[in-house]
């Protein structure tokens, strides 16, 4: 749920206070709190919702999310520090494909709830570290399932990737884990995709995870506690009016778990994008308009060094235009009416494109382009200092502070 009119108001106010072209991220913390609470509420009682920190690690974003989730999923020592600096006791799950000894030690000492282990060598190192500290590491083995669900933007499983253990090797990993006294094998982790927008297919994927654990319990004659189905729930960037039907999905999930889950299982979601995307915005003022060889370009104060996602995915990032009526130059204002426009950034590379050939009813120099769904994998994945332009402002909407 977005609170667009509040966001537009805050940006317009911000613009009236400065002559310099506006460039800002806006995080609507109030909207984020309400959104996260709404995602948590309909989930079945055996499900725990974690937030995957890599989507947006801004401390104020973490603080807004924390009361409404079971904990955080972190994928580096740095993310672990960011979380522990703010929350001494919030449950943390630690993962990632390349963990150093230092990180495994930090995870052990930071009392993380679970560690996702992605190889047999890593399992042995973790055992050695835990044994040396006379403690036990609670572990989920990350499985690269042979079969996942089609239709996501990124796939981490169901094909050869650097992630987890494939189904050929998982048996050996389970036997190894069960034989190591300082490893407490608690279950399995299946994160397999990102930006999946098909509710039905996502349920089918979860069913595959559940049947894998059921079969594994049978094979090894012992129960497991956790089924982590990962993140990966998506955002319809190309059709913002049609979003993932979370309430319907949660209702179906109730039925699915009733049919296919054991009562002793806790199912974990670790969502990044679905939690953080909707209440983050990136605003950039139009610096110039031109037509080159028949194509209209708007040049923005900003670009992919702040919002790399559309370039990384070769997509048009959804946006709207905030009209700014003030005009302070003593000559005509460059303006376009009813044209298709390509939105380019300020970088000296033809890759700096945020949306290509999109219809605009009116666009003028000095108007502000507001990119929506920029709260996840926006600032956090971008190459901020390429070309040394100033960073954007960060504006937080928060009536409680
Ligand atoms: C990135 C990641 C997530 C979050 O994925 P989203 O697509 O943002 O929901 C969850 N778990 C793991 C292991 C990840 O790497």
């Amino acid at each position: 749920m977005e609170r667009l009119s509040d966001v537009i108001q805050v940006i317009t106010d911000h613009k009236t206070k400065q002559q310099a072209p506006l460039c800002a991220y806006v995080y609507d913390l109030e909207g984020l709190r309400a959104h996260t609470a709404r995602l948590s509420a309909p989930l079945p009682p055996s499900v725990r919702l974690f937030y995957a920190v890599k989507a947006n690690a801004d401390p104020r974003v973490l603080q807004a999310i924390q009361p409404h989730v079971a904990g955080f999923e972190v994928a580096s020592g740095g993310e672990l520090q960011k979380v522990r600096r703010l929350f001494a006791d919030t449950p943390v799950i630690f993962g990632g494909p390349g963990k150093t000894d230092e990180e495994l030690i930090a995870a052990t000492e930071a009392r993380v709830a679970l560690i996702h282990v992605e190889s047999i060598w890593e399992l042995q190192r973790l055992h050695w570290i835990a044994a040396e500290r006379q403690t036990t590491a609670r572990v989920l083995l990350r499985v690269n399932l042979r079969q996942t669900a089609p239709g996501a933007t990124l796939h981490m499983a169901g094909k050869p990737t650097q992630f987890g253990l494939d189904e050929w090797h998982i048996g050996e990993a389970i036997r190894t884990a069960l034989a190591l006294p300082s490893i407490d094998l608690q279950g399995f982790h299946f994160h397999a995709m990102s930006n999946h927008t098909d509710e039905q297919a996502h349920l089918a994927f979860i069913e595959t995870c559940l049947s894998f654990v059921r079969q594994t319990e049978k094979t090894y004659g012992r129960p497991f506690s956790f089924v982590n189905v990962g993140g990966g729930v998506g955002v319809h960037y190309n059709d913002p009016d049609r979003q993932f039907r979370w309430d319907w999905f949660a209702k179906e999930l109730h039925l699915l778990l009733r049919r296919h889950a054991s009562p002793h299982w806790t199912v974990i979601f670790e969502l990044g994008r679905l939690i953080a995307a909707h209440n983050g915005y990136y605003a950039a003022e139009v610096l110039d308009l031109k037509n080159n060889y028949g194509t209209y370009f708007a040049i923005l104060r900003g670009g992919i060094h702040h919002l790399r996602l559309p370039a990384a995915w070769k997509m048009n990032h959804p946006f709207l235009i905030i009209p700014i009526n003030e005009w302070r130059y003593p000559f005509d204002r460059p303006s376009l009416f009813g044209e298709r426009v390509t939105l380019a950034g300020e970088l000296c590379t033809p890759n700096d494109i945020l949306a290509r050939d999109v219809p605009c009813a009116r666009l003028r120099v000095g108007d502000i382009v507001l990119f929506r769904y920029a709260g996840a994998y926006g600032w956090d994945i971008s190459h901020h200092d390429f070309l040394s332009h100033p960073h954007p402002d960060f504006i937080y909407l928060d009536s409680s502070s």
Side-chain angles (χ1 to χ4, degrees):
M1 190 62 139
E2 294 174 289
R3 305 185 315 144
L4 264 175
S5 56
D6 292 21
V7 171
I8 291 169
Q9 188 60 51
V10 90
I11 288 168
T12 321
D13 291 351
H14 205 74
K15 180 60 200 168
T16 57
K17 288 185 219 133
Q18 68 177 55
Q19 279 203 341
L22 184 137
C23 178
Y25 263 95
V26 181
Y27 293 141
D28 177 7
L29 301 179
E30 198 126 321
L32 178 59
R33 282 188 202 101
H35 174 72
T36 313
R38 260 198 304 274
L39 294 177
S40 281
L43 289 171
S46 63
V47 174
R48 301 284 176 276
L49 176 61
F50 280 70
Y51 171 60
V53 168
K54 80 170 184 287
N56 187 330
D58 185 302
R60 296 189 61 175
V61 166
L62 299 180
Q63 275 167 324
I65 290 172
Q66 189 265 352
H68 307 289
V69 292
F72 293 104
E73 185 265 351
V74 301
S76 71
E79 287 186 353
L80 178 61
Q81 273 183 17
K82 283 185 179 173
V83 168
R84 275 289 172 255
R85 225 175 272 146
L86 294 170
F87 316 104
D89 302 313
T90 301
V92 170
I93 304 174
F94 188 88
K99 305 180 195 72
T100 62
D101 285 357
E102 207 183 359
E103 287 177 311
L104 290 174
I105 291 166
T108 309
E109 292 178 349
R111 306 173 320 282
V112 304
L114 294 165
I115 298 178
H116 293 151
V117 171
E118 304 218 7
S119 76
I120 292 171
W121 154 239
E122 185 181 300
L123 195 57
Q124 289 165 333
R125 280 195 297 133
L126 178 58
H127 175 260
W128 176 69
I129 285 164
E132 209 168 47
R133 285 162 182 74
Q134 292 168 350
T135 179
T136 309
R138 287 155 50 96
V139 162
L140 305 187
L141 287 174
R142 181 166 183 180
V143 186
N144 179 334
L145 285 175
R146 189 172 305 145
Q147 205 185 352
T148 68
T153 306
L154 303 174
H155 289 271
M156 294 79 175
K159 61 176 189 179
T161 68
Q162 66 269 50
F163 302 109
L165 290 131
D166 73 19
E167 292 189 33
W168 293 106
H169 296 109
I170 195 71
E172 187 190 346
I174 294 169
R175 287 189 294 278
T176 306
L178 294 176
L180 294 171
S182 295
I183 295 290
D184 178 7
L185 181 59
Q186 294 266 327
F188 300 90
H189 172 230
F190 298 97
H191 178 70
M193 61 197 100
S194 197
N195 206 38
H196 200 211
T197 49
D198 182 335
E199 298 88 352
Q200 196 79 58
H202 209 71
L203 290 162
F205 162 70
I206 292 170
E207 189 179 333
T208 308
C209 301
L210 298 175
S211 72
F212 179 93
V213 178
R214 176 172 305 290
Q215 188 53 48
T216 307
E217 285 189 339
K218 236 185 255 164
T219 307
Y220 293 89
R222 68 188 305 289
F224 294 105
S225 302
F226 292 99
V227 184
N228 185 338
V229 298
V233 177
V235 168
H236 283 274
Y237 293 100
N238 53 4
D239 188 2
D241 294 329
R242 187 177 137 231
Q243 288 306 340
F244 194 90
R245 291 173 300 148
W246 182 255
D247 289 334
W248 180 86
F249 173 82
K251 216 177 284 166
E252 292 294 311
L253 184 64
H254 272 273
L255 301 175
L256 180 75
L257 295 184
R258 204 171 301 154
R259 256 180 276 130
H260 297 285
S262 292
H264 62 271
W265 291 348
T266 297
V267 173
I268 296 174
F269 280 93
E270 40 186 32
L271 300 178
R273 189 183 313 275
L274 188 69
I275 291 178
H278 295 248
N279 292 280
Y281 303 81
Y282 176 58
E285 185 169 328
V286 178
L287 294 179
D288 206 347
L289 284 172
K290 65 175 73 167
N291 186 306
N292 268 356
Y293 296 111
T295 297
Y296 284 106
F297 289 89
I299 319 294
L300 307 179
R301 159 59 191 118
I304 63 167
H305 50 327
H306 302 160
L307 180 62
R308 195 172 70 89
L309 187 62
W313 284 8
K314 309 253 181 297
M315 69 170 186
N316 289 341
H317 205 99
F319 67 92
L320 51 88
I321 293 161
I322 304 178
I324 300 294
N325 290 327
E326 196 193 316
W327 179 251
R328 64 196 173 89
Y329 298 100
F331 33 80
D332 281 353
R333 184 171 184 178
S335 306
L336 291 175
F337 297 91
E339 300 291 349
R340 299 183 86 84
V341 181
T342 291
L343 303 178
E346 64 198 344
L347 301 181
C348 304
T349 160
N351 296 329
D352 192 4
I353 302 291
L354 296 130
R356 203 176 282 281
D357 220 20
V358 280
C360 291
R362 183 181 71 179
L363 189 61
R364 301 166 300 180
V365 168
D367 284 339
I368 291 168
V369 181
L370 182 67
F371 294 93
R372 300 163 68 188
Y373 306 103
Y377 307 112
W379 177 249
D380 288 64
I381 67 160
S382 305
H383 40 79
H384 311 147
D385 291 323
F386 181 44
L387 264 109
S388 304
H389 285 291
H391 288 183
D393 294 332
F394 282 80
I395 303 171
Y396 300 88
L397 253 77
D398 191 2
S399 66
S400 77
S401 70

